[in-house]
Amino acid sequence: MNDFSRLEQKLAKLRQRERAAGEKRVMRGDHDRLLAAVVTEIDETILPRRVSFQAEDGPAFHLAVANRRLQALLAPAPAAEGAAQLADTALNNAEDPNVAALKAVLEKVFGKADAFSITTHKQSGDGFPSDIGVPAAQLSRAWGIATTEGTTPKELLASFVSGLGDRSIAWLRIEGEDVADQYGDADTLGMLGEHAAIFLDGYLSKREQIYQGEQGPACLVLAAGDATPGIIFLDCGEAMAFVAVRAAAIGAIARDWQSHVAI
């Protein structure tokens, strides 16, 4: 195991001053990833809430959610074919034809933007009965969303970097204040450790400014020279990794990472 004491000392100091992310939440990605993010939002909502999704200078839609159930699409409906007929209509169960119709509406909306801010408010009026709606797990199956239930972000990161094999030149996996695992030759690992110490000096204290409250795993390309290895930085919050790869492989590995964590 290489001596990463300088990096680990830096991590200890930086973790102490790291600030919590802001209140704003953002989801982004293609329509499959956005649908999955909507289901995740539903699964994490217990009290009756109006959950609003707004693209910057773009479409918006609003959902009634309670007790980890999707209850209805709320008015005003988005400007998408079939949306108006669904507005304020309770969803009874996963077999309700309106569940599939709502998926089609959301896919049309997601075709117009790839990033949406998320805000929640109390439902107005009496809302819907608490037993009305489609539970998140059933909704996920009805919409054909692949899940990784029971897999933590730390485990996702570990499985991804260990599965790269010789597609990577070297990598460092960091958990908390420690270098948890490594792969590659000593010289490249030393280079990665130096890059990590310098980069993290500014990154951890400014993470919420970079992502403006976005949640979920992140991927940044830190270096991509033709003559030197490219460096990909992966961040799952509780765990991070620095991966040295050949410049030509950066795009493919970054896309694979997005697919790997699209839950």
Side-chain angles (χ1 to χ4, degrees), residues 111-166:
K112 300 176 182 178
D114 61 2
F116 290 77
S117 62
I118 307 169
T119 55
T120 58
H121 306 277
K122 291 182 179 179
Q123 291 187 24
S124 60
D126 295 332
F128 296 89
S130 60
D131 58 347
I132 285 292
V134 185
Q138 295 180 22
L139 184 66
S140 181
R141 290 192 290 271
W143 283 358
I145 296 171
T147 64
T148 53
E149 186 176 355
T151 301
T152 67
K154 180 169 64 177
E155 292 168 339
L156 282 173
L157 179 64
S159 67
F160 181 77
V161 295
S162 63
L164 287 173
D166 59 8

Short mmCIF file of all heavy atoms in Angstrom, two decimals, residues 111-166:
data_model
loop_
_atom_site.label_atom_id
_atom_site.label_comp_id
_atom_site.label_asym_id
_atom_site.label_seq_id
_atom_site.Cartn_x
_atom_site.Cartn_y
_atom_site.Cartn_z
N GLY A 111 -38.27 15.33 -22.76
CA GLY A 111 -37.65 15.55 -24.07
C GLY A 111 -37.36 17.02 -24.34
O GLY A 111 -36.65 17.36 -25.30
N LYS A 112 -37.89 17.91 -23.48
CA LYS A 112 -37.70 19.35 -23.67
C LYS A 112 -36.63 19.94 -22.76
O LYS A 112 -36.23 21.09 -22.94
CB LYS A 112 -39.03 20.08 -23.42
CG LYS A 112 -40.15 19.65 -24.35
CD LYS A 112 -41.46 20.33 -24.00
CE LYS A 112 -42.60 19.86 -24.89
NZ LYS A 112 -43.90 20.49 -24.52
N ALA A 113 -36.18 19.19 -21.76
CA ALA A 113 -35.17 19.69 -20.83
C ALA A 113 -34.52 18.51 -20.13
O ALA A 113 -35.14 17.45 -19.98
CB ALA A 113 -35.79 20.64 -19.81
N ASP A 114 -33.29 18.68 -19.68
CA ASP A 114 -32.59 17.58 -19.01
C ASP A 114 -32.22 17.91 -17.57
O ASP A 114 -31.48 17.18 -16.93
CB ASP A 114 -31.34 17.18 -19.79
CG ASP A 114 -30.33 18.31 -19.91
OD1 ASP A 114 -30.57 19.40 -19.36
OD2 ASP A 114 -29.30 18.10 -20.58
N ALA A 115 -32.74 19.04 -17.05
CA ALA A 115 -32.47 19.40 -15.66
C ALA A 115 -33.70 20.09 -15.08
O ALA A 115 -34.26 20.99 -15.71
CB ALA A 115 -31.25 20.31 -15.56
N PHE A 116 -34.11 19.68 -13.88
CA PHE A 116 -35.28 20.22 -13.22
C PHE A 116 -34.97 20.48 -11.75
O PHE A 116 -34.41 19.61 -11.07
CB PHE A 116 -36.45 19.23 -13.30
CG PHE A 116 -37.03 19.06 -14.68
CD1 PHE A 116 -36.38 18.27 -15.62
CD2 PHE A 116 -38.21 19.67 -15.03
CE1 PHE A 116 -36.90 18.10 -16.90
CE2 PHE A 116 -38.75 19.52 -16.31
CZ PHE A 116 -38.08 18.73 -17.24
N SER A 117 -35.32 21.65 -11.27
CA SER A 117 -35.25 21.92 -9.84
C SER A 117 -36.48 21.32 -9.18
O SER A 117 -37.55 21.20 -9.79
CB SER A 117 -35.18 23.42 -9.57
OG SER A 117 -36.34 24.08 -10.05
N ILE A 118 -36.34 20.94 -7.92
CA ILE A 118 -37.40 20.26 -7.18
C ILE A 118 -37.74 21.07 -5.93
O ILE A 118 -36.84 21.39 -5.14
CB ILE A 118 -36.99 18.84 -6.77
CG1 ILE A 118 -36.49 18.04 -7.98
CG2 ILE A 118 -38.16 18.11 -6.09
CD1 ILE A 118 -35.84 16.73 -7.59
N THR A 119 -39.00 21.40 -5.74
CA THR A 119 -39.45 22.06 -4.53
C THR A 119 -40.70 21.35 -4.02
O THR A 119 -41.45 20.75 -4.80
CB THR A 119 -39.79 23.55 -4.78
OG1 THR A 119 -40.74 23.65 -5.84
CG2 THR A 119 -38.54 24.33 -5.15
N THR A 120 -40.93 21.41 -2.72
CA THR A 120 -42.10 20.77 -2.14
C THR A 120 -42.88 21.76 -1.28
O THR A 120 -42.29 22.64 -0.63
CB THR A 120 -41.70 19.55 -1.27
OG1 THR A 120 -40.81 20.00 -0.24
CG2 THR A 120 -41.00 18.50 -2.11
N HIS A 121 -44.18 21.60 -1.28
CA HIS A 121 -45.08 22.45 -0.49
C HIS A 121 -46.19 21.56 0.06
O HIS A 121 -46.44 20.46 -0.44
CB HIS A 121 -45.68 23.57 -1.34
CG HIS A 121 -44.67 24.39 -2.06
ND1 HIS A 121 -44.00 25.45 -1.46
CD2 HIS A 121 -44.18 24.30 -3.32
CE1 HIS A 121 -43.16 25.98 -2.33
NE2 HIS A 121 -43.25 25.31 -3.47
N LYS A 122 -46.88 22.06 1.07
CA LYS A 122 -48.06 21.34 1.56
C LYS A 122 -49.12 21.31 0.48
O LYS A 122 -49.28 22.26 -0.29
CB LYS A 122 -48.62 22.03 2.80
CG LYS A 122 -47.73 21.92 4.02
CD LYS A 122 -48.40 22.58 5.22
CE LYS A 122 -47.54 22.45 6.47
NZ LYS A 122 -48.18 23.11 7.64
N GLN A 123 -49.85 20.20 0.41
CA GLN A 123 -50.96 20.13 -0.53
C GLN A 123 -52.06 21.10 -0.09
O GLN A 123 -52.34 21.23 1.10
CB GLN A 123 -51.51 18.71 -0.62
CG GLN A 123 -50.57 17.71 -1.28
CD GLN A 123 -51.23 16.36 -1.48
OE1 GLN A 123 -52.45 16.26 -1.55
NE2 GLN A 123 -50.43 15.31 -1.59
N SER A 124 -52.65 21.76 -1.06
CA SER A 124 -53.71 22.71 -0.75
C SER A 124 -55.03 21.97 -0.54
O SER A 124 -55.24 20.86 -1.06
CB SER A 124 -53.87 23.73 -1.88
OG SER A 124 -54.19 23.08 -3.10
N GLY A 125 -55.94 22.57 0.22
CA GLY A 125 -57.25 21.96 0.45
C GLY A 125 -57.15 20.67 1.23
O GLY A 125 -56.24 20.46 2.03
N ASP A 126 -58.08 19.77 0.97
CA ASP A 126 -58.11 18.49 1.68
C ASP A 126 -57.18 17.44 1.07
O ASP A 126 -56.95 16.39 1.66
CB ASP A 126 -59.54 17.94 1.70
CG ASP A 126 -60.48 18.82 2.50
OD1 ASP A 126 -60.00 19.51 3.43
OD2 ASP A 126 -61.69 18.85 2.17
N GLY A 127 -56.67 17.71 -0.14
CA GLY A 127 -55.80 16.74 -0.78
C GLY A 127 -56.53 15.46 -1.14
O GLY A 127 -57.74 15.45 -1.35
N PHE A 128 -55.78 14.38 -1.17
CA PHE A 128 -56.34 13.07 -1.50
C PHE A 128 -56.31 12.18 -0.26
O PHE A 128 -55.48 12.38 0.64
CB PHE A 128 -55.53 12.40 -2.62
CG PHE A 128 -55.56 13.13 -3.93
CD1 PHE A 128 -54.62 14.11 -4.21
CD2 PHE A 128 -56.53 12.86 -4.89
CE1 PHE A 128 -54.64 14.80 -5.41
CE2 PHE A 128 -56.57 13.54 -6.08
CZ PHE A 128 -55.62 14.51 -6.36
N PRO A 129 -57.19 11.17 -0.17
CA PRO A 129 -57.10 10.22 0.95
C PRO A 129 -55.72 9.58 1.00
O PRO A 129 -55.08 9.35 -0.03
CB PRO A 129 -58.19 9.18 0.62
CG PRO A 129 -59.16 9.92 -0.26
CD PRO A 129 -58.32 10.88 -1.06
N SER A 130 -55.24 9.27 2.19
CA SER A 130 -53.87 8.78 2.36
C SER A 130 -53.62 7.44 1.70
O SER A 130 -52.48 7.09 1.38
CB SER A 130 -53.54 8.68 3.86
OG SER A 130 -54.43 7.77 4.49
N ASP A 131 -54.69 6.64 1.49
CA ASP A 131 -54.50 5.33 0.88
C ASP A 131 -54.63 5.36 -0.65
O ASP A 131 -54.54 4.33 -1.32
CB ASP A 131 -55.49 4.31 1.45
CG ASP A 131 -56.95 4.73 1.24
OD1 ASP A 131 -57.18 5.91 0.90
OD2 ASP A 131 -57.84 3.88 1.42
N ILE A 132 -54.85 6.56 -1.20
CA ILE A 132 -54.92 6.71 -2.66
C ILE A 132 -53.51 6.85 -3.22
O ILE A 132 -52.65 7.50 -2.64
CB ILE A 132 -55.76 7.96 -3.04
CG1 ILE A 132 -57.24 7.68 -2.83
CG2 ILE A 132 -55.51 8.39 -4.48
CD1 ILE A 132 -57.81 6.66 -3.80
N GLY A 133 -53.28 6.22 -4.36
CA GLY A 133 -52.00 6.40 -5.04
C GLY A 133 -51.26 5.10 -5.26
O GLY A 133 -51.66 4.02 -4.80
N VAL A 134 -50.15 5.22 -5.97
CA VAL A 134 -49.33 4.06 -6.33
C VAL A 134 -48.04 4.09 -5.52
O VAL A 134 -47.27 5.05 -5.62
CB VAL A 134 -49.00 4.08 -7.84
CG1 VAL A 134 -48.24 2.80 -8.23
CG2 VAL A 134 -50.27 4.23 -8.67
N PRO A 135 -47.78 3.07 -4.69
CA PRO A 135 -46.54 3.04 -3.92
C PRO A 135 -45.32 3.11 -4.85
O PRO A 135 -45.35 2.61 -5.98
CB PRO A 135 -46.61 1.70 -3.19
CG PRO A 135 -48.06 1.40 -3.10
CD PRO A 135 -48.66 1.93 -4.38
N ALA A 136 -44.25 3.72 -4.36
CA ALA A 136 -43.06 3.95 -5.18
C ALA A 136 -42.51 2.66 -5.78
O ALA A 136 -42.12 2.62 -6.94
CB ALA A 136 -41.99 4.66 -4.36
N ALA A 137 -42.49 1.59 -4.99
CA ALA A 137 -41.94 0.32 -5.50
C ALA A 137 -42.77 -0.21 -6.65
O ALA A 137 -42.23 -0.69 -7.66
CB ALA A 137 -41.85 -0.70 -4.37
N GLN A 138 -44.11 -0.13 -6.53
CA GLN A 138 -44.98 -0.58 -7.61
C GLN A 138 -44.87 0.33 -8.83
O GLN A 138 -44.91 -0.13 -9.97
CB GLN A 138 -46.43 -0.65 -7.13
CG GLN A 138 -46.67 -1.68 -6.04
CD GLN A 138 -48.12 -1.72 -5.60
OE1 GLN A 138 -49.02 -1.28 -6.32
NE2 GLN A 138 -48.37 -2.23 -4.39
N LEU A 139 -44.73 1.62 -8.57
CA LEU A 139 -44.58 2.57 -9.67
C LEU A 139 -43.29 2.30 -10.45
O LEU A 139 -43.28 2.35 -11.68
CB LEU A 139 -44.56 4.00 -9.12
CG LEU A 139 -44.50 5.13 -10.14
CD1 LEU A 139 -45.77 5.16 -10.98
CD2 LEU A 139 -44.29 6.46 -9.42
N SER A 140 -42.23 1.99 -9.73
CA SER A 140 -40.96 1.68 -10.37
C SER A 140 -41.09 0.50 -11.31
O SER A 140 -40.59 0.51 -12.44
CB SER A 140 -39.90 1.40 -9.30
OG SER A 140 -38.65 1.12 -9.89
N ARG A 141 -41.82 -0.54 -10.87
CA ARG A 141 -42.02 -1.72 -11.72
C ARG A 141 -42.93 -1.39 -12.90
O ARG A 141 -42.67 -1.82 -14.03
CB ARG A 141 -42.59 -2.87 -10.90
CG ARG A 141 -41.61 -3.47 -9.90
CD ARG A 141 -42.13 -4.77 -9.33
NE ARG A 141 -43.27 -4.56 -8.44
CZ ARG A 141 -43.17 -4.33 -7.14
NH1 ARG A 141 -41.98 -4.26 -6.57
NH2 ARG A 141 -44.25 -4.17 -6.40
N ALA A 142 -43.98 -0.62 -12.64
CA ALA A 142 -44.93 -0.27 -13.71
C ALA A 142 -44.26 0.57 -14.79
O ALA A 142 -44.59 0.44 -15.98
CB ALA A 142 -46.12 0.48 -13.12
N TRP A 143 -43.32 1.41 -14.40
CA TRP A 143 -42.63 2.27 -15.36
C TRP A 143 -41.35 1.63 -15.90
O TRP A 143 -40.64 2.24 -16.70
CB TRP A 143 -42.30 3.60 -14.70
CG TRP A 143 -43.50 4.52 -14.61
CD1 TRP A 143 -44.76 4.28 -15.07
CD2 TRP A 143 -43.53 5.83 -14.01
NE1 TRP A 143 -45.58 5.36 -14.81
CE2 TRP A 143 -44.86 6.31 -14.16
CE3 TRP A 143 -42.58 6.62 -13.38
CZ2 TRP A 143 -45.24 7.57 -13.69
CZ3 TRP A 143 -42.97 7.87 -12.90
CH2 TRP A 143 -44.28 8.34 -13.06
N GLY A 144 -41.05 0.41 -15.46
CA GLY A 144 -39.89 -0.30 -15.99
C GLY A 144 -38.57 0.33 -15.60
O GLY A 144 -37.62 0.35 -16.39
N ILE A 145 -38.49 0.80 -14.36
CA ILE A 145 -37.27 1.46 -13.89
C ILE A 145 -36.42 0.44 -13.13
O ILE A 145 -36.90 -0.18 -12.17
CB ILE A 145 -37.60 2.65 -12.98
CG1 ILE A 145 -38.34 3.73 -13.78
CG2 ILE A 145 -36.33 3.24 -12.36
CD1 ILE A 145 -38.89 4.84 -12.94
N ALA A 146 -35.18 0.29 -13.55
CA ALA A 146 -34.27 -0.61 -12.86
C ALA A 146 -33.86 0.04 -11.54
O ALA A 146 -33.60 1.24 -11.48
CB ALA A 146 -33.03 -0.87 -13.71
N THR A 147 -33.83 -0.74 -10.48
CA THR A 147 -33.44 -0.23 -9.17
C THR A 147 -32.24 -1.00 -8.64
O THR A 147 -31.93 -2.10 -9.10
CB THR A 147 -34.59 -0.35 -8.15
OG1 THR A 147 -34.87 -1.75 -7.95
CG2 THR A 147 -35.83 0.35 -8.64
N THR A 148 -31.57 -0.38 -7.69
CA THR A 148 -30.46 -1.05 -7.00
C THR A 148 -30.74 -0.98 -5.50
O THR A 148 -29.90 -0.57 -4.71
CB THR A 148 -29.12 -0.36 -7.33
OG1 THR A 148 -29.24 1.05 -7.07
CG2 THR A 148 -28.74 -0.57 -8.77
N GLU A 149 -31.96 -1.39 -5.13
CA GLU A 149 -32.37 -1.32 -3.74
C GLU A 149 -31.40 -2.09 -2.85
O GLU A 149 -31.01 -3.22 -3.15
CB GLU A 149 -33.77 -1.88 -3.59
CG GLU A 149 -34.36 -1.72 -2.19
CD GLU A 149 -35.78 -2.20 -2.13
OE1 GLU A 149 -36.34 -2.57 -3.17
OE2 GLU A 149 -36.32 -2.20 -1.01
N GLY A 150 -30.98 -1.46 -1.76
CA GLY A 150 -30.08 -2.10 -0.82
C GLY A 150 -28.62 -1.86 -1.14
O GLY A 150 -27.75 -2.29 -0.40
N THR A 151 -28.32 -1.20 -2.25
CA THR A 151 -26.95 -0.90 -2.61
C THR A 151 -26.65 0.54 -2.25
O THR A 151 -27.34 1.45 -2.69
CB THR A 151 -26.72 -1.11 -4.12
OG1 THR A 151 -27.03 -2.46 -4.45
CG2 THR A 151 -25.27 -0.85 -4.47
N THR A 152 -25.63 0.76 -1.44
CA THR A 152 -25.29 2.12 -1.02
C THR A 152 -24.42 2.78 -2.08
O THR A 152 -23.78 2.10 -2.90
CB THR A 152 -24.52 2.09 0.31
OG1 THR A 152 -23.24 1.46 0.10
CG2 THR A 152 -25.30 1.33 1.37
N PRO A 153 -24.36 4.13 -2.08
CA PRO A 153 -23.46 4.82 -3.02
C PRO A 153 -22.02 4.35 -2.89
O PRO A 153 -21.31 4.21 -3.89
CB PRO A 153 -23.62 6.29 -2.62
CG PRO A 153 -25.00 6.37 -2.06
CD PRO A 153 -25.19 5.07 -1.33
N LYS A 154 -21.58 4.09 -1.66
CA LYS A 154 -20.21 3.62 -1.45
C LYS A 154 -19.98 2.28 -2.14
O LYS A 154 -18.93 2.06 -2.76
CB LYS A 154 -19.95 3.51 0.06
CG LYS A 154 -18.56 3.04 0.42
CD LYS A 154 -18.29 3.21 1.92
CE LYS A 154 -19.20 2.34 2.75
NZ LYS A 154 -18.87 2.44 4.19
N GLU A 155 -20.97 1.40 -2.07
CA GLU A 155 -20.85 0.09 -2.72
C GLU A 155 -20.90 0.23 -4.24
O GLU A 155 -20.20 -0.51 -4.96
CB GLU A 155 -21.95 -0.84 -2.22
CG GLU A 155 -21.78 -1.24 -0.76
CD GLU A 155 -23.03 -1.92 -0.19
OE1 GLU A 155 -24.13 -1.73 -0.75
OE2 GLU A 155 -22.90 -2.62 0.82
N LEU A 156 -21.73 1.15 -4.74
CA LEU A 156 -21.78 1.39 -6.18
C LEU A 156 -20.42 1.85 -6.70
O LEU A 156 -19.95 1.39 -7.75
CB LEU A 156 -22.84 2.46 -6.50
CG LEU A 156 -24.30 2.03 -6.50
CD1 LEU A 156 -25.20 3.24 -6.65
CD2 LEU A 156 -24.57 1.03 -7.61
N LEU A 157 -19.80 2.77 -5.97
CA LEU A 157 -18.50 3.27 -6.38
C LEU A 157 -17.45 2.16 -6.36
O LEU A 157 -16.66 2.01 -7.31
CB LEU A 157 -18.07 4.42 -5.46
CG LEU A 157 -16.71 5.04 -5.74
CD1 LEU A 157 -16.70 5.71 -7.11
CD2 LEU A 157 -16.34 6.05 -4.67
N ALA A 158 -17.43 1.38 -5.29
CA ALA A 158 -16.44 0.30 -5.17
C ALA A 158 -16.60 -0.72 -6.30
O ALA A 158 -15.61 -1.16 -6.90
CB ALA A 158 -16.57 -0.38 -3.81
N SER A 159 -17.84 -1.09 -6.61
CA SER A 159 -18.06 -2.08 -7.66
C SER A 159 -17.67 -1.53 -9.03
O SER A 159 -17.17 -2.26 -9.89
CB SER A 159 -19.51 -2.55 -7.67
OG SER A 159 -20.39 -1.50 -8.05
N PHE A 160 -17.88 -0.22 -9.22
CA PHE A 160 -17.55 0.37 -10.52
C PHE A 160 -16.05 0.40 -10.75
O PHE A 160 -15.56 -0.06 -11.79
CB PHE A 160 -18.11 1.78 -10.63
CG PHE A 160 -17.83 2.43 -11.96
CD1 PHE A 160 -18.56 2.09 -13.08
CD2 PHE A 160 -16.82 3.37 -12.09
CE1 PHE A 160 -18.30 2.67 -14.32
CE2 PHE A 160 -16.55 3.97 -13.31
CZ PHE A 160 -17.29 3.61 -14.43
N VAL A 161 -15.29 0.94 -9.80
CA VAL A 161 -13.84 1.08 -10.04
C VAL A 161 -13.16 -0.28 -10.08
O VAL A 161 -12.24 -0.51 -10.88
CB VAL A 161 -13.18 2.00 -9.00
CG1 VAL A 161 -13.70 3.43 -9.13
CG2 VAL A 161 -13.36 1.49 -7.59
N SER A 162 -13.62 -1.22 -9.25
CA SER A 162 -13.00 -2.55 -9.28
C SER A 162 -13.32 -3.29 -10.57
O SER A 162 -12.57 -4.17 -11.00
CB SER A 162 -13.45 -3.37 -8.07
OG SER A 162 -14.84 -3.60 -8.12
N GLY A 163 -14.45 -2.92 -11.20
CA GLY A 163 -14.84 -3.57 -12.45
C GLY A 163 -14.19 -2.97 -13.69
O GLY A 163 -14.37 -3.50 -14.79
N LEU A 164 -13.43 -1.89 -13.54
CA LEU A 164 -12.79 -1.28 -14.70
C LEU A 164 -11.67 -2.15 -15.27
O LEU A 164 -11.41 -2.12 -16.47
CB LEU A 164 -12.23 0.10 -14.32
CG LEU A 164 -13.25 1.22 -14.12
CD1 LEU A 164 -12.56 2.47 -13.59
CD2 LEU A 164 -13.98 1.54 -15.42
N GLY A 165 -11.01 -2.91 -14.41
CA GLY A 165 -9.93 -3.77 -14.88
C GLY A 165 -8.85 -2.97 -15.60
O GLY A 165 -8.48 -1.87 -15.18
N ASP A 166 -8.38 -3.50 -16.73
CA ASP A 166 -7.31 -2.81 -17.45
C ASP A 166 -7.81 -1.65 -18.31
O ASP A 166 -7.04 -1.04 -19.05
CB ASP A 166 -6.50 -3.80 -18.30
CG ASP A 166 -7.37 -4.52 -19.33
OD1 ASP A 166 -8.54 -4.15 -19.49
OD2 ASP A 166 -6.85 -5.47 -19.96
#
